[in-house]
């Protein structure tokens, strides 16, 4: 039957330019490749979870435009239920301009559009589905009202919450008390905890700080260095899988979705992080956001080939 996951989040169309290196301020760099693809942290995580075998419902907004239709079609083709994806006639679909340098480093500018109009009522409409789900996945590309309402509904119904505090911005830190697992990257962890991260020891200290802030567990992602898992039983580093990275876009989304799927399937946190590391690594081997998200058989194969099962 598979596990049931609700994702509350953003849906964007990504305009991706590949370039030898990222431009300096005021500089023009000649790019080598351009593509338009479906993205947005929430939509990416929904598609990733569906490709990994979960039954997924997506809650959010798109504009009444061709980009909105493109996003809905992409979600549906991945098997994501879009019953709670609202078409907003008063705002354009969210867009992201992404620049990807050789080696995979990127920088992104997001214009929220309809994502910025997701409200508490949108979330409340999906309350029964959230109540019946195995997990709720959240990020920070929506207004505070929507994020906080989703947290409150999950708390009310005893639903597991996996929280990706991205992009890095201010939010109510008390929400971490309602969080089962938080999945920041280094920059997000630095902003939230105030701990500068330049080595593994500092990453482990920052991950532990999320426990002091209220989260039951924290998984701090470190890109090609893997991830740090912090629980009240201890802190450990879980290495990455070696792949040839070309674009890091959506790797964190693949990681968060994979972690949620495996936890819902009953895996221990450490095993779920290993699975998530594999999904995140595979997402770096293709250009674009949703086009790069791996299928379950690809993740299982990488783990089997690397770890022997």
């Amino acid at each position: 039957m598979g596990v049931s996951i609700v994702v509350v989040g953003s849906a964007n169309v990504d305009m991706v330019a590949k370039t030898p290196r990222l431009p300096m301020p005021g500089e023009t760099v000649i790019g080598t490749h351009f593509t338009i693809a479906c993205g947005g942290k929430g939509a990416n995580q929904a598609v990733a979870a569906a490709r990994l075998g979960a039954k997924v419902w997506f809650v959010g907004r798109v504009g009444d435009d061709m980009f909105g239709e493109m996003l809905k079609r992409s979600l549906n083709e991945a098997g994501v239920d879009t019953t709670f994806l609202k078409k907003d006639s008063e705002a354009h679909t969210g867009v992201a301009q992404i620049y990807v340098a050789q080696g995979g480093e990127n920088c992104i500018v997001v214009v929220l559009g309809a994502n910025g109009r997701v409200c508490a009522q949108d979330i409340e409409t999906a309350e029964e589905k959230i109540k019946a789900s195995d997990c709720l996945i959240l990020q920070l590309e929506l207004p505070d009202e929507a994020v906080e309402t989703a947290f409150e509904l999950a708390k009310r119904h005893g639903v597991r919450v996996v929280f990706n505090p991205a992009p890095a911005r201010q939010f109510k830190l008390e929400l971490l008390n309602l969080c089962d697992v938080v999945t920041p990257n280094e920059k997000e962890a630095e902003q939230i905890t105030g701990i500068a991260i330049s080595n593994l020891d500092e990453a482990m200290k920052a991950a532990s700080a999320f426990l002091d802030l209220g989260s039951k567990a924290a998984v701090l992602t470190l890109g090609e260095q893997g991830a740090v898992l912090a629980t009240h039983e201890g802190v450990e580093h879980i290495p990455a899988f070696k792949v040839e990275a070309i674009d890091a876009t959506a790797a964190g989304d693949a990681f968060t979705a994979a972690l949620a799927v495996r936890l819902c399937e009953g895996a221990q946190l450490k095993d779920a992080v290993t699975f998530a590391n594999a999904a995140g690594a595979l997402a770096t081997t293709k250009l674009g956001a949703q086009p790069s998200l791996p299928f379950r058989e690809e993740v299982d194969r990488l783990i089997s080939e690397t770890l022997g099962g």
Side-chain angles (χ1 to χ4, degrees):
M1 289 290 291
V3 298
S4 172
I5 292 176
V6 174
V7 180
V8 172
S10 58
N12 296 320
V13 166
D14 294 343
M15 301 179 187
V16 185
K18 187 95 176 187
T19 173
R21 59 181 176 80
L22 299 179
M24 301 292 288
E27 181 186 21
T28 298
V29 174
I30 302 300
T32 57
H33 184 271
F34 175 78
T35 188
I36 296 178
C38 293
K41 289 186 177 300
N44 291 345
Q45 290 169 12
V47 169
R51 288 185 177 180
L52 294 171
K55 178 59 181 172
V56 182
W57 285 262
F58 180 70
V59 184
R61 289 197 187 200
V62 293
D64 186 7
D65 50 37
M66 65 177 185
F67 283 164
E69 288 300 319
M70 180 178 171
L71 281 162
K72 183 176 181 181
R73 184 168 59 249
S74 177
L75 287 161
N76 290 156
E77 287 174 352
V80 177
D81 189 303
T82 54
T83 300
F84 304 107
L85 177 62
K86 185 172 182 177
K87 185 183 292 184
D88 191 327
S89 60
E90 297 183 22
H92 64 79
T93 297
V95 294
Q97 294 179 300
I98 303 173
Y99 305 95
V100 182
Q102 196 169 7
E105 183 184 16
N106 64 43
C107 64
I108 304 173
V109 176
V110 175
V111 184
L112 292 177
N115 296 304
R117 290 165 53 84
V118 177
C119 63
Q121 185 178 359
D122 295 341
I123 315 305
E124 289 163 355
T125 300
E127 180 172 359
E128 288 305 308
K129 191 58 63 179
I130 292 171
K131 178 181 178 180
S133 70
D134 296 305
C135 180
L136 176 68
I137 299 178
L138 294 166
Q139 332 77 35
L140 288 173
E141 272 185 339
L142 297 181
D144 288 341
E145 172 190 336
V147 174
E148 291 165 14
T149 299
F151 264 109
E152 289 162 6
L153 289 181
K155 171 69 172 179
R156 181 184 306 165
H157 298 299
V159 175
R160 174 190 281 118
V161 174
V162 174
F163 177 41
N164 180 218
R169 69 172 181 82
Q170 296 294 318
F171 66 95
K172 290 183 179 178
L173 291 180
E174 308 92 81
L175 293 176
L176 291 171
N177 290 303
L178 308 179
C179 185
D180 290 278
V181 188
V182 60
T183 62
N185 65 18
E186 292 167 88
K187 290 180 181 177
E188 292 147 8
E190 285 184 358
Q191 177 167 317
I192 294 167
T193 67
I195 298 171
I197 300 171
S198 59
N199 56 50
L200 187 57
D201 285 343
E202 290 167 351
M204 296 177 88
K205 185 183 299 183
S208 295
F210 279 94
L211 306 182
D212 298 330
L213 290 170
S215 182
K216 293 178 184 176
V219 183
L220 199 164
T221 60
L222 301 170
E224 63 183 13
Q225 299 302 312
V228 168
L229 167 62
T231 68
H232 291 288
E233 283 70 53
V235 186
E236 61 182 310
H237 174 234
I238 301 175
F241 289 80
K242 300 302 180 184
V243 295
E244 187 173 340
I246 63 170
D247 179 9
T249 306
D253 297 328
F255 183 98
T256 293
L259 182 76
V261 169
R262 284 298 288 137
L263 285 176
C264 290
E265 291 175 344
Q268 296 297 310
L269 255 174
K270 182 176 180 180
D271 292 336
V273 174
T274 297
F275 183 81
N277 272 344
L282 286 168
T284 71
T285 63
K286 297 177 184 176
L287 189 65
Q290 289 176 27
S292 74
L293 299 171
F295 289 87
R296 182 60 175 255
E297 55 268 27
E298 296 177 289
V299 179
D300 289 340
R301 185 185 312 122
L302 178 61
I303 293 172
S304 178
E305 291 174 351
T306 306
L307 303 179

